[in-house]
Amino acid sequence: MDETMTETVQTAPFAPFEWMLSARYLRARRKEGFISVIAGFSFLGIMLGVATLIIVMAVMNGFRKELLDKILGLNGHILVQPLESPLTDWKDVADRLSQVQGIRLAAPVVDGQALASSPWNASGVLVRGIRSDDLNNLTSIAKNIKQGSLEGFDDGQGVAIGRRLADQLSLHAGDSITLVAPKGAVTPMGTTPRIKPYKIVAVFEIGMSEYDLGFVFMPLAEAQAYFNRSNDVTSIEVFTTNPDRIVQFRQAVTEAAGRPVFLVDWRQRNSTFFNALQVERNVMFLILTMIVLVAALNIVSGLIMLVKDKGSDIAILRTMGASQGSIMRIFLITGASIGVVGTLVGFFVGLIICLNIESIRQFLSWLTSTELFSPELYFLSKLPAEIDIGETAAVVIMALTLSFLATLYPSWRAARLDPVEALRYE
C-alpha cells in the first residue's frame, strides 16, 4: 500500500492537460490584461513581419524576372561585334551562328542614334535596323503590336515605334515621323544632318517604359543607307534557348563565327543593374527580418511576465505532481502558439496580397489620386510579384524557429521555479 502511494504518475509529453493549461494562459483574465496585450502585439509583429517579408521578396523577384524577360526579349543574350575589319560578311556569320545547337536566333542589326520629331514634340531615340523575319521572331515585339502590322516590313520604308514614344509625339500608325541623324551627307561645307520622314507601320508596347519610349525599328537595308553603312552591320544579336548557360554558348559562338569577334553577354551588359537589385533584395531581407526578431523578443518578455504572475499556480502544480518537463512544455506551448499562429496567418496574408498586388496598387492609386510605382521610375507598366517556393518556405521556417527559440528561456525558468519559495508569502 505504501509503495502504491509513493509511486509517481508519469504523464506522456504534451498531454491533454498541458494543452488545456496553455490555452487557458493565452486567454488572460481582466487583471492579466497587460500580458494579453503583449501577446497580441507579439502575434501582430510576427504576422506582419512574415507577410511583409513574403510580399517584399515576391515583388523583388517579380521585378528581376520581368526586367530580365523584357531586357533579354529585346536585346540578344550575346552581342557579337567585329574586330579588325567591318562586319561585311554578316550574312555568312549569322548563318553559321544560327546552326549552333542552342541558338534560336542570330539577328544582324544596325544601331544608330537619332532625333525623332513630329509637329508637336521631339525625343531622342535608338534606331535599330533589322530584317523582317528577325523582328517577327522577337516575340516581345511581334506579340505586342498595338497598332498597325509588321507585314511587308522589309518591302517599304516604314518604321515601328514604341507606344510611349507615339504618345509623346502624338502619333499613330499611318502617321509620319521625322528622324534626324547627326551624320548625313558629306558636302564641301562639311557633314550635314540627315533628315528623313518615315511612315509608322506599327506601334508596339513591351511594357518597359525605357524601350517603349526609346526604340525605333527600321528595315535593315534602309538603316544601312540611312546611317551610311557600306553593306556592313553594327553587330549580330544572338538569342539562346537558355540565358543561364551563357558561358557554354560563348565558346561555341566564338568558334562558329569564323572570324575575329568581340563578345559581350547579357550579364556584362546589365551587370550593374542586376547586382544592384540583388544587393537591395538581400538588404531588405535582413531589415525586415528584424521585425520578426522584435516580435519574438516580445514573446520572451510576455512569457517572463506570465511566469512571474503564475508563480503560485506553478508551485501548486508542482506539489500536485507535475514534473519540471510538464511545466516547461506548458509555457513552451503557450509561447510557440503565438509564433505558429502568427506565422501561418502572416503566410496567408502575404500570399493573398501577392496574388492581388496589381489590383491593390491600382486601388491605392485611385484612393490617393497619385500614380504609385510610376513606369518612368520603375521601368515596368505594372507591379509584378513572383512567389518563390524556396524563399517563402525559408521565411516561414525562420519565423517558426525564432518563435520556438524565444520560448525556451522563459519555459526553463518556469520549470526551475522552487515551489517552496513561490508559496512562502501566499
Side-chain angles (χ1 to χ4, degrees):
M1 183 69 178
D2 293 338
E3 292 179 359
T4 305
M5 293 293 291
T6 57
E7 285 181 357
T8 302
V9 179
Q10 296 291 334
T11 58
F14 298 101
F17 91 93
E18 296 174 3
W19 290 92
M20 180 192 70
L21 285 174
S22 298
R24 174 65 190 82
Y25 288 158
L26 284 172
R27 301 191 304 270
R29 290 172 292 182
R30 181 177 298 177
K31 67 176 183 178
E32 302 157 0
F34 185 65
I35 298 173
S36 182
V37 168
I38 293 178
F41 278 117
S42 302
F43 166 78
L44 285 175
I46 290 176
M47 182 199 74
L48 292 175
V50 170
T52 305
L53 262 173
I54 291 174
I55 294 166
V56 170
M57 300 306 289
V59 170
M60 295 295 289
N61 287 336
F63 266 116
R64 186 183 187 281
K65 182 178 182 299
E66 287 291 317
L67 289 171
L68 191 60
D69 289 346
K70 293 182 186 305
I71 289 173
L72 298 188
L74 189 60
N75 294 316
H77 304 157
I78 300 177
L79 181 68
V80 180
Q81 296 175 312
L83 282 177
E84 298 180 4
S85 61
L87 205 54
T88 53
D89 55 343
W90 53 269
K91 288 183 181 179
D92 296 332
V93 175
D95 290 340
R96 288 195 295 269
L97 294 178
S98 299
Q99 294 171 9
V100 176
Q101 185 177 4
I103 291 180
R104 60 181 180 85
L105 177 63
V109 297
V110 172
D111 287 338
Q113 293 184 341
L115 178 70
S117 65
S118 71
W120 300 276
N121 213 336
S123 179
V125 294
L126 176 69
V127 178
R128 172 162 292 179
I130 188 170
R131 295 179 296 190
S132 178
D133 292 341
D134 295 336
L135 186 58
N136 281 302
N137 283 326
L138 293 180
T139 54
S140 59
I141 299 295
K143 292 186 177 181
N144 291 291
I145 300 297
K146 301 303 179 182
Q147 298 176 22
S149 170
L150 293 176
E151 292 183 8
F153 183 74
D154 272 345
D155 301 333
Q157 291 187 339
V159 296
I161 69 173
R163 180 67 173 269
R164 294 185 66 82
L165 179 62
D167 292 342
Q168 183 167 324
L169 301 182
S170 301
L171 297 174
H172 302 86
D175 294 341
S176 179
I177 184 173
T178 302
L179 296 179
V180 182
K183 294 183 180 180
V186 178
T187 68
M189 303 297 295
T191 303
T192 60
R194 173 158 290 158
I195 304 173
K196 189 172 181 180
Y198 288 94
K199 180 183 177 182
I200 300 172
V201 296
V203 176
F204 61 85
E205 184 175 18
I206 299 175
M208 188 169 178
S209 62
E210 184 179 9
Y211 291 161
D212 289 337
L213 181 62
F215 265 82
V216 172
F217 289 96
M218 180 184 291
L220 182 60
E222 178 61 28
Q224 288 175 323
Y226 184 75
F227 289 110
N228 298 327
R229 311 293 301 196
S230 301
N231 198 32
D232 68 325
V233 297
T234 308
S235 58
I236 298 176
E237 298 274 3
V238 176
F239 295 82
T240 66
T241 53
N242 188 354
D244 293 325
R245 294 177 51 211
I246 204 69
V247 176
Q248 301 175 25
F249 288 120
R250 285 180 67 102
Q251 183 63 32
V253 167
T254 302
E255 294 174 357
R259 58 156 294 157
V261 291
F262 179 71
L263 304 184
V264 181
D265 62 51
W266 68 269
R267 295 175 307 177
Q268 295 170 314
R269 296 166 80 175
N270 306 285
S271 60
T272 304
F273 189 69
F274 285 108
N275 286 342
L277 275 181
Q278 186 65 32
V279 170
E280 184 178 357
R281 184 170 163 274
N282 293 338
V283 171
M284 290 297 291
F285 181 83
L286 290 174
I287 292 173
L288 294 172
T289 301
M290 296 297 107
I291 299 177
V292 181
L293 185 59
V294 169
L297 293 176
N298 280 340
I299 293 178
V300 176
S301 61
L303 276 183
I304 289 175
M305 293 181 66
L306 183 63
V307 169
K308 191 172 182 62
D309 185 70
K310 298 295 182 182
S312 58
D313 291 13
I314 296 169
I316 292 170
L317 286 170
R318 294 283 284 116
T319 57
M320 291 174 66
S323 65
Q324 286 186 339
S326 291
I327 300 298
M328 185 171 182
R329 287 191 293 271
I330 288 170
F331 287 94
L332 190 144
I333 293 171
T334 302
S337 298
I338 299 171
V340 170
V341 175
T343 300
L344 292 178
V345 173
F347 168 73
F348 287 111
V349 169
L351 204 63
I352 291 170
I353 292 177
C354 286
L355 295 175
N356 299 277
I357 191 75
E358 177 60 18
S359 301
I360 294 172
R361 184 194 71 84
Q362 292 177 0
F363 172 74
L364 292 176
S365 296
W366 170 80
L367 192 65
T368 59
S369 301
T370 57
E371 187 175 21
L372 299 178
F373 297 98
S374 172
E376 289 84 357
L377 297 177
Y378 296 93
F379 299 108
L380 301 175
S381 56
K382 66 178 183 179
L383 188 61
E386 181 76 14
I387 299 174
D388 184 273
I389 296 175
E391 285 183 351
T392 304
V395 170
V396 172
I397 292 171
M398 178 202 67
L400 292 175
T401 303
L402 287 176
S403 301
F404 174 75
L405 292 176
T407 63
L408 293 180
Y409 175 69
S411 302
W412 177 79
R413 277 194 58 178
R416 298 279 296 175
L417 190 67
D418 185 359
V420 176
E421 291 296 326
L423 295 173
R424 172 172 293 181
Y425 302 106
E426 291 294 327

